Amino acid sequence: MNNNLVSASILSADMLNLESEIRELEKAGVNMLHFDVMDGVFVNNITFGLPVLEQINKIVSPYMELDVHLMISDPLKYIREFDRAGADIITFHIESESDTMETIRAIQQTEAVASIALKPDTPAESVFPYMEYLSMVLVMTVEPGFGGQKFMDMSDKIRKIRRYADENCLEIDIQVDGGINDKTAETVKKAGANVLVSGSYLFKADDMKKAVETLRA
Ligand code: DX5
Ligand code: ZN
């Protein structure tokens, strides 16, 4: 069974035509819409936030999950708001200031599911104590902050997380984010990742549907 999923990062979308970009993604068969929130403190960039997500939630197909990636220093403070704005999955960074377990509990009190992201230098083992409470772990394959960066091979980390999940009978998604294209997708899937975030590769593709199928294959 192939349970690979594609999450399109709208950081690479044409912001002036976001609705038609979302319709293209739906037509191309993308499974999730990846929404990168940056606060200019946790990372050196500022993107978009709650009001934009609320508007997207009004028009997006119910089949497309809203996959929110919080690159902010105090995610705990905003969990309820992101749930209310329509998030289906809330990913926060283990390196953030918020208490990890408290943030997981806050997400569990909403309709969204919880996920933890690890920056490239953060070891796999740091997420093990929390994995039984998570539906997904996000292994960053670039330093968070910008789209269009070069892929960093995190195969060892992905394998360790997949092995820990298997050994403990945990059904968990492993998401990868940063520099994913037709070639790097092979590498991460072989290591055990099954949710592929893609921004620049998808939006630059001549045939987006084909690109989605290649990533998911
Ligand atoms: C980077 C973001 C990514 C980014 C991916 O910090 O978290 O989601 O948009 O973009 P590409 O696929 O272009 O690397
Ligand atoms: Zn992201």
Side-chain angles (χ1 to χ4, degrees):
M1 190 187 78
N2 178 353
N3 65 343
N4 294 334
L5 301 169
V6 171
S7 188
S9 170
I10 57 153
L11 197 55
S12 296
D14 173 0
M15 291 300 157
L16 288 179
N17 295 292
L18 199 48
E19 181 164 7
S20 61
E21 293 279 71
I22 291 171
R23 298 291 170 239
E24 285 299 310
L25 296 171
E26 288 169 351
K27 267 192 255 155
V30 161
N31 307 93
M32 300 174 183
L33 209 142
H34 186 81
F35 190 81
D36 286 306
V37 182
M38 304 187 192
D39 65 355
V41 180
F42 185 74
V43 289
N44 287 324
N45 197 5
I46 298 177
T47 53
F48 31 64
L50 292 159
V52 180
L53 187 65
E54 255 170 54
Q55 296 304 314
I56 292 176
N57 190 38
K58 285 184 193 157
I59 60 119
V60 76
S61 146
Y63 300 108
M64 182 103 93
E65 285 194 288
L66 294 180
D67 168 32
V68 174
H69 178 191
L70 298 177
M71 284 159 277
I72 63 178
S73 54
D74 193 4
L76 179 57
K77 210 165 143 187
Y78 298 98
I79 298 303
R80 278 177 54 195
E81 278 89 343
F82 278 101
D83 169 54
R84 275 196 215 117
D88 295 301
I89 303 169
I90 300 180
T91 299
F92 67 97
H93 273 265
I94 200 162
E95 307 87 357
S96 71
E97 308 270 294
S98 302
D99 180 81
T100 306
M101 206 52 230
E102 251 188 89
T103 310
I104 291 173
R105 285 206 193 95
I107 300 172
Q108 285 173 333
Q109 280 161 24
T110 71
E111 281 176 38
V113 295
S115 158
I116 285 183
L118 308 179
K119 288 204 224 178
D121 288 340
T122 304
E125 291 75 13
S126 64
V127 77
F128 290 173
Y130 306 105
M131 272 171 58
E132 62 181 297
Y133 311 107
L134 303 176
S135 78
M136 188 166 85
V137 174
L138 165 51
V139 175
M140 291 301 297
T141 41
V142 296
E143 283 300 336
F146 297 89
Q149 301 183 77
K150 196 172 172 285
F151 174 78
M152 297 162 79
D153 193 349
M154 294 287 136
S155 293
D156 278 351
K157 196 193 286 189
I158 297 168
R159 268 194 293 270
K160 281 185 190 165
I161 294 170
R162 183 54 77 204
R163 197 180 316 130
Y164 183 89
D166 290 346
E167 285 169 2
N168 292 278
C169 302
L170 301 173
E171 265 193 47
I172 202 159
D173 287 318
I174 301 181
Q175 185 176 60
V176 282
D177 183 10
I180 300 299
N181 57 36
D182 50 345
K183 290 180 195 72
T184 58
E186 289 298 319
T187 310
V188 294
K189 283 184 285 188
K190 214 191 275 168
N194 69 307
V195 183
L196 286 78
V197 175
S198 174
S200 41
Y201 170 72
L202 272 191
F203 284 95
K204 278 186 196 151
D206 294 330
D207 184 340
M208 195 188 265
K209 191 160 196 245
K210 228 168 121 195
V212 171
E213 280 159 14
T214 307
L215 292 179
R216 206 160 37 206

